[in-house]
């Protein structure tokens, strides 16, 4: 039913990018394993000319390999089309390569470091089945993205704990870029492969507002747009670290333009003339690691001073009267993966709300 297309290149755009990517991929498949729709999804990774291919460096569990495919674009080909691209990565062509070669009914394009929780996968597939049953023409779903707290992930929660967290901590998620359904920005997109192929995917121009480009194409084609929040579907993103090149590159090179060239169709879209084949993933690991150590950035300092956290939170005035409570909270923060305020908060509502606003990973 669904092909998840993830274009990327193995560079320093994000700190420890390959580990960041493989962990998100692994988690997405584990979340899907808890879903009733596991057999209906494949993941296709379009590797845009990486010197160290993701298919070679990913350390994947053997149980999830049959869900993952790679399309490796040769470095010479990638360089040919990336001369004017940020960091020599052509996001539009690499996405189109995956779009053109899918055989599933629906396509989801998502970034490499985003995960979709189990209940969101279930909500999504239930909705897709309704759209299919009702024969809704040209449905398009926009999935907003939020950021998971780095402090929580660095506690290295196991999969079960993380899955519970995603179901109970939605009010703590941080917005990344603004989600605008009228522009198709700040989100991932799902559409039928038939419509994407009809529109020839993204216009193959480097470093421009390709989300707006695709949105206008979809709008002009009479699409029916759906906000993922209204059907209980969103994605969660790993935080961007200061040691990543992403922030500086985008700040210096980001362009926004729209002109007549975007309206022209390219029959060779997705590098149709090149013999790019899907290959299956390989691996030999039996155990899933719980580590999120790739989020440890040597250029970022982590403040573990509980007294300072209380001071920064603006609730220091409570310290004199609540020493015992503070000590209890200190040990809960230090040794627990998740915190449940249900019983405590009944008689300490204001205290919990103020503290929760500062330490966002509490649920």
């Amino acid at each position: 039913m669904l092909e998840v297309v993830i274009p990327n290149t193995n560079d320093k755009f994000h700190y420890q990018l390959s580990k960041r990517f493989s962990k998100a991929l692994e988690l997405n498949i584990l979340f899907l394993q808890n879903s009733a729709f596991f057999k209906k999804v494949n993941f296709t990774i379009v590797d845009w000319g990486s010197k160290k291919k993701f298919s070679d460096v990913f350390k994947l569990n053997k149980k999830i390999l049959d869900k993952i495919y790679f399309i490796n674009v040769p470095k010479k080909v990638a360089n040919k089309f990336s001369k004017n691209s940020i960091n020599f990565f052509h996001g539009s062509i690499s996405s189109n390569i995956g779009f053109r070669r899918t055989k599933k009914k629906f396509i989801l394009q998502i970034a490499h470091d985003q995960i979709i929780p189990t209940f969101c996968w279930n909500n999504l597939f239930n909705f897709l089945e309704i759209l299919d049953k009702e024969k809704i023409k040209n449905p398009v779903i926009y999935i907003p993205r939020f950021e998971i707290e780095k402090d929580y992930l660095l506690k290295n929660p196991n999969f079960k704990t993380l899955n519970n967290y995603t179901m109970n901590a939605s009010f703590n998620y941080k917005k990344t870029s603004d989600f605008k359904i009228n522009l198709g920005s700040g989100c991932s997109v799902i559409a039928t492969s038939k419509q994407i192929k009809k529109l020839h995917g993204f216009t193959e121009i480097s470093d421009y507002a390709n989300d707006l480009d695709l949105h206008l194409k979809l709008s002009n084609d009479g699409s029916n747009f759906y906000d993922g929040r209204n059907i209980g579907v969103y994605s969660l993103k790993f935080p961007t670290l200061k040691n990543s090149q992403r922030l500086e590159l985008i700040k210096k090179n980001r362009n926004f333009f729209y002109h007549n060239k975007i309206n022209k169709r390219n029959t060779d879209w997705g590098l149709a003339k090149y013999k790019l084949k899907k290959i299956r993933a390989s691996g030999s690991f039996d155990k899933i690691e719980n580590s999120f150590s790739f989020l440890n950035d040597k250029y970022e300092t982590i403040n573990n001073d509980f007294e300072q956290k209380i001071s920064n939170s603006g609730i220091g005035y409570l310290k004199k009267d609540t020493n015992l409570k503070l000590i209890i909270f200190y040990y809960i923060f230090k040794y627990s993966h998740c915190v449940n305020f249900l019983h405590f908060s009944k008689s300490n509502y204001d205290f919990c709300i103020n503290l929760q606003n500062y330490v966002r990973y509490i649920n």
Side-chain angles (χ1 to χ4, degrees), residues 37-49:
F37 304 94
F38 181 65
K39 295 181 179 180
K40 297 186 177 183
V41 188
N42 285 332
F43 291 77
T44 295
I45 298 163
V46 181
D47 190 329
W48 186 254

Side-chain angles (χ1 to χ4, degrees), residues 34-248:
N34 285 350
S35 164
F37 304 94
F38 181 65
K39 295 181 179 180
K40 297 186 177 183
V41 188
N42 285 332
F43 291 77
T44 295
I45 298 163
V46 181
D47 190 329
W48 186 254
S50 296
K51 185 176 181 180
K52 294 183 178 180
K53 296 181 179 65
F54 292 119
S55 56
D56 294 333
V57 300
F58 275 5
K59 296 180 179 180
L60 299 169
N61 183 273
K62 290 190 294 185
K63 296 178 181 179
I64 66 174
L65 296 180
D66 61 344
K67 287 288 161 189
I68 304 169
Y69 295 85
F70 294 91
I71 300 177
N72 293 325
V73 181
K75 190 169 181 60
K76 288 184 178 180
V77 176
N79 289 343
K80 176 182 177 181
F81 291 95
S82 301
K83 293 178 181 178
N84 298 317
S85 299
I86 294 177
N87 225 31
F88 294 96
F89 175 64
H90 204 305
S92 298
I93 296 180
S94 56
S95 296
N96 284 351
I97 288 171
F99 294 164
R100 182 150 196 158
R101 290 159 180 81
T102 185
K103 294 181 180 179
K104 297 288 188 178
K105 183 162 189 176
F106 291 95
I107 295 173
L108 162 61
Q109 191 219 23
I110 195 169
H112 76 283
D113 57 355
Q114 294 177 28
I115 60 176
I116 297 178
T118 298
F119 70 95
C120 289
W121 282 117
N122 284 330
N123 291 339
L124 173 61
F125 282 106
N126 285 326
F127 190 66
L128 291 178
E129 288 189 341
I130 292 173
L131 293 175
D132 200 29
K133 183 178 180 180
E134 298 295 328
K135 297 182 179 180
I136 301 299
K137 184 180 179 182
N138 296 337
V140 176
I141 305 171
Y142 285 141
I143 302 178
R145 52 181 175 258
F146 300 91
E147 185 176 288
I148 312 178
E149 276 294 315
K150 176 182 172 183
D151 285 349
Y152 174 76
L153 293 176
L154 286 177
K155 288 178 175 288
N156 294 324
N158 60 34
F159 171 71
K160 183 178 180 180
T161 302
L162 182 59
N163 198 26
N164 289 336
Y165 169 82
T166 63
M167 291 189 288
N168 297 305
S170 59
F171 52 83
N172 281 331
Y173 296 142
K174 178 182 177 182
K175 288 177 63 177
T176 52
S177 53
D178 287 337
F179 170 45
K180 298 178 181 178
I181 192 170
N182 61 320
L183 297 176
S185 62
C187 58
S188 302
V189 61
I190 296 178
T192 65
S193 57
K194 181 179 179 180
Q195 186 181 23
I196 291 292
K197 291 177 180 180
K198 172 187 173 183
L199 299 175
H200 296 174
F202 290 112
T203 302
E204 295 181 346
I205 301 174
S206 62
D207 305 330
Y208 77 110
N210 58 1
D211 49 3
L212 175 60
D213 159 47
L214 184 60
H215 178 75
L216 292 175
K217 284 183 175 182
L218 293 167
S219 297
N220 292 334
D221 196 44
S223 297
N224 290 289
F225 293 98
Y226 299 91
D227 185 335
R229 294 172 298 185
N230 294 335
I231 58 173
V233 180
Y234 54 80
S235 66
L236 303 174
K237 179 184 182 299
F238 295 147
T240 299
L241 305 181
K242 292 180 180 179
N243 198 23
S244 301
Q245 294 181 354
R246 177 182 183 275
L247 300 175
E248 184 179 354

